[in-house]
Amino acid sequence: MVLKIKHFVIFITITFLYSCGEQQPSLQKIDAKQIVIDSSLKTTGSIETLVKPYRERINHVLDSTLAYAPYPISKTDGELNTTAGNLMADIVLSEANPIFKSRTGHTIDLVLLNHGGIRSLISKGNVSSRTAFEVMPFENSIVVAELKGSSILKMASYLRDSGRAHPIAGLQLTLDSENEIQSISIQACLWKKIKPIM
């Protein structure tokens, strides 16, 4: 997969005019100019010489193989669950839990991630550090929150109604043919069996 990204730099000039009798500047005009940064710009030899060893080192690290994917892993290959969503949520749960437990003595029961936070698929074949940055290219943070039962029910309703396969781990919803929640399990234990209102 080749990513074609255009970067833009916008220069904004703000002009303030001062007069002898005034202490406060007053804004008179804002000018802006968009400069496209793409492959049409020529390289500068001295800058290229400076950057080259850093680029080579970064490319070496990013292109090192971490794992092998036997099939494509995508966030669009399922209606309610996806291979990428399940993988990313499971990774967050398994990696965050030991740290959280060592600091608090408690464990994390479930993970919910944002569907839009997964930005790329993992193609079949070698998986590199570059692949990982393409999948989640942001400076993400894990936030641990304690939720009441009522909040879990609201979250379950949101997952059912959102129309997207948000990545989850440690949580299982059972829906009936009418798309009504029948049960909620946390860590494979039945937490709540939903009784229909008569």
Side-chain angles (χ1 to χ4, degrees):
M1 179 176 61
V2 177
L3 297 177
K4 293 184 179 177
I5 301 174
K6 285 189 175 181
H7 296 279
F8 298 93
V9 175
I10 299 175
F11 291 96
I12 299 176
T13 303
I14 300 176
T15 305
F16 291 97
L17 296 179
Y18 291 89
S19 65
C20 296
E22 293 181 8
Q23 294 288 335
Q24 297 294 327
S26 61
L27 177 65
Q28 298 296 314
K29 179 173 71 169
I30 297 176
D31 292 326
K33 180 181 177 184
Q34 181 172 292
I35 300 173
V36 178
I37 299 177
D38 59 17
S39 59
S40 66
L41 294 175
K42 294 180 181 178
T43 59
T44 303
S46 60
I47 294 176
E48 182 61 27
T49 301
L50 176 70
V51 169
K52 184 179 178 184
Y54 298 100
R55 181 191 299 118
E56 289 175 351
R57 175 63 182 155
I58 289 170
N59 285 336
H60 174 72
V61 171
L62 290 180
D63 292 331
S64 299
T65 300
L66 302 174
Y68 180 82
Y71 48 81
I73 299 171
S74 169
K75 71 173 186 178
T76 60
D77 58 7
E79 184 180 351
L80 300 176
N81 287 288
T82 67
T83 53
N86 290 342
L87 175 67
M88 299 311 296
D90 287 347
I91 289 172
V92 170
L93 184 60
S94 69
E95 295 302 306
N97 227 343
I99 298 169
F100 185 71
K101 187 168 186 176
S102 71
R103 293 179 181 177
T104 66
H106 300 287
T107 58
I108 298 171
D109 296 310
L110 61 96
V111 167
L112 169 64
L113 302 179
N114 176 14
H115 176 271
I118 300 174
R119 308 298 285 193
S120 176
L121 61 80
I122 298 173
S123 300
K124 178 180 178 180
N126 291 339
V127 178
S128 65
S129 296
R130 188 182 302 277
T131 310
F133 279 107
E134 289 170 352
V135 171
M136 285 189 146
F138 312 110
E139 294 293 329
N140 291 319
S141 297
I142 297 171
V143 177
V144 180
E146 185 176 6
L147 299 178
K148 294 180 179 179
S150 58
S151 296
I152 296 288
L153 290 172
K154 287 178 183 177
M155 184 177 72
S157 296
Y158 168 77
L159 290 170
R160 178 198 59 193
D161 298 337
S162 69
R164 288 192 163 186
H166 289 287
I168 57 172
L171 174 73
Q172 181 181 24
L173 303 179
T174 304
L175 305 177
D176 65 14
S177 59
E178 302 296 320
N179 207 38
E180 295 297 327
I181 299 171
Q182 292 300 293
S183 66
I184 301 171
S185 296
I186 297 175
Q187 290 296 329
C189 296
L190 183 64
W191 173 76
K192 182 83 172 171
K193 187 163 180 66
I194 310 297
K195 294 181 181 177
I197 299 172
M198 304 304 275

